[in-house]
Amino acid sequence: MNIKDRVIVVTGAAGGIGRALAKAFAEHGAAKVVCTDLQAQDVEDVARDVDGIAFAADLRNEAEVARLVEETEDQTGGIDIFCSNAGILTLGGVEVSDADWQKTWEINVMSHVWAARHVVPRMIERGGGYLLNTASAAGLLNQIGAAPYGVTKHAAIGLAEWLHIEYHDQGIGVSVLCPQAVQTDMIQGNEASIASLDGIISPETVAKSCMEAIEKEEFLVLPHPQVRDYVALKGANYERWLGGMRKLKRQFGL
């Protein structure tokens, strides 16, 4: 899909990957970028930088997602690309409270479901559109020390696959973003240990990969290209891959 002259929504746009996506879309000639986040002041700053529209919303609430879609459609004439980028990292295992599991599920998975539920029928009626859903390499592999994150990111990828299969022939393109470590608040304080693996990339590098994927209509967006090799290893020899993950866990004392 050509990005130029498109109306684009980016959730989680107040910082990190979302902020970089908003700027990249504007630089690629988007007609309007709607910047959405829970933090009103921060998202207003980003919207001002890209001559876009700021929209404060709590994406844990389907009614808020529906309001975002409806008001954006009314104001702009129609959403061409919807980027479900908002996400959170929840550390811990099965002992994590039900409330924190639920919060992680709502943000990392259900916000994607609700966005598709409310925007895809409108896109189909207009002849097509595009979804960019941010997951993680953790959704293809896993996340040591963070069960809620690994589980919900797996679910986010499963949803993106389903959306592609279900709606591709009706003109809906889907890409799913699966980076490893990105220089955002999510990894703050753990940069040294993370960098010893496959390195930390900038949000701008991630955004560049997304622009290329959307323009080529590629499903899997891998800003860390080595992830493709890890997925191949996992599929070729699951037991060996699990052993490698256990070794990595011991290496970091987790």
Side-chain angles (χ1 to χ4, degrees):
M1 171 175 277
N2 190 345
I3 295 167
K4 184 175 172 57
D5 297 328
R6 304 292 187 176
V7 174
I8 302 167
V9 174
V10 180
T11 71
I17 294 173
R19 184 186 187 101
L21 283 173
K23 290 185 175 182
F25 282 125
E27 290 168 358
H28 279 69
K32 191 62 66 177
V33 182
V34 180
C35 305
T36 308
D37 210 295
L38 185 61
Q39 305 300 326
Q41 183 57 58
D42 292 340
V43 81
E44 285 172 6
D45 292 342
V46 177
R48 189 179 307 111
D49 288 345
V50 301
D51 191 26
I53 299 170
F55 198 106
D58 182 356
L59 302 179
R60 293 180 61 191
N61 184 330
E62 182 181 359
E64 287 283 278
V65 178
R67 182 174 66 88
L68 165 64
V69 171
E70 184 173 353
E71 292 187 13
T72 299
E73 293 260 330
D74 289 345
Q75 188 170 351
T76 65
I79 298 168
D80 298 300
I81 302 173
F82 195 106
C83 302
S84 292
N85 170 72
I88 60 170
L89 170 64
T90 304
L91 299 175
V94 294
E95 77 284 352
V96 170
S97 71
D98 287 355
D100 283 338
W101 272 97
Q102 185 64 24
K103 178 181 179 180
T104 310
W105 177 258
E106 288 168 351
I107 297 174
N108 289 358
V109 182
M110 293 309 298
S111 67
H112 298 196
V113 173
W114 296 326
R117 179 179 294 169
H118 292 282
V119 78
V120 167
R122 296 168 184 261
M123 289 178 170
I124 291 173
E125 189 174 332
R126 288 191 294 270
Y130 211 94
L131 305 176
L132 170 66
N133 290 359
T134 298
S136 168
L140 295 168
L141 303 168
N142 219 303
Q143 185 67 44
I144 294 168
Y149 187 78
V151 169
T152 56
K153 292 302 185 179
H154 273 72
I157 292 174
L159 173 66
E161 291 172 347
W162 188 92
L163 291 168
H164 171 88
I165 294 164
E166 182 71 14
Y167 295 118
H168 179 270
D169 291 348
Q170 297 178 67
I172 305 299
V174 180
S175 292
V176 63
L177 171 60
C178 299
Q180 288 184 284
V182 183
Q183 189 63 62
T184 67
D185 291 344
M186 192 174 285
I187 68 164
Q188 194 168 20
N190 297 300
E191 290 90 343
S193 60
I194 291 171
S196 67
L197 296 171
D198 289 323
I200 301 170
I201 61 176
S202 70
E204 290 72 25
T205 297
V206 175
K208 183 175 183 292
S209 294
C210 292
M211 300 303 109
E212 293 171 354
I214 291 171
E215 289 176 340
K216 296 177 182 177
E217 299 196 7
E218 294 178 341
F219 177 75
L220 198 56
V221 189
L222 299 176
H224 292 83
Q226 56 269 53
V227 170
R228 194 178 299 275
D229 295 332
Y230 301 152
V231 174
L233 174 61
K234 181 178 180 180
N237 191 328
Y238 224 116
E239 298 299 327
R240 179 184 175 192
W241 174 80
L242 286 169
M245 292 295 281
R246 294 195 303 272
K247 180 179 179 181
L248 194 62
K249 180 180 184 295
R250 292 192 296 269
Q251 177 183 333
F252 286 93
L254 297 170

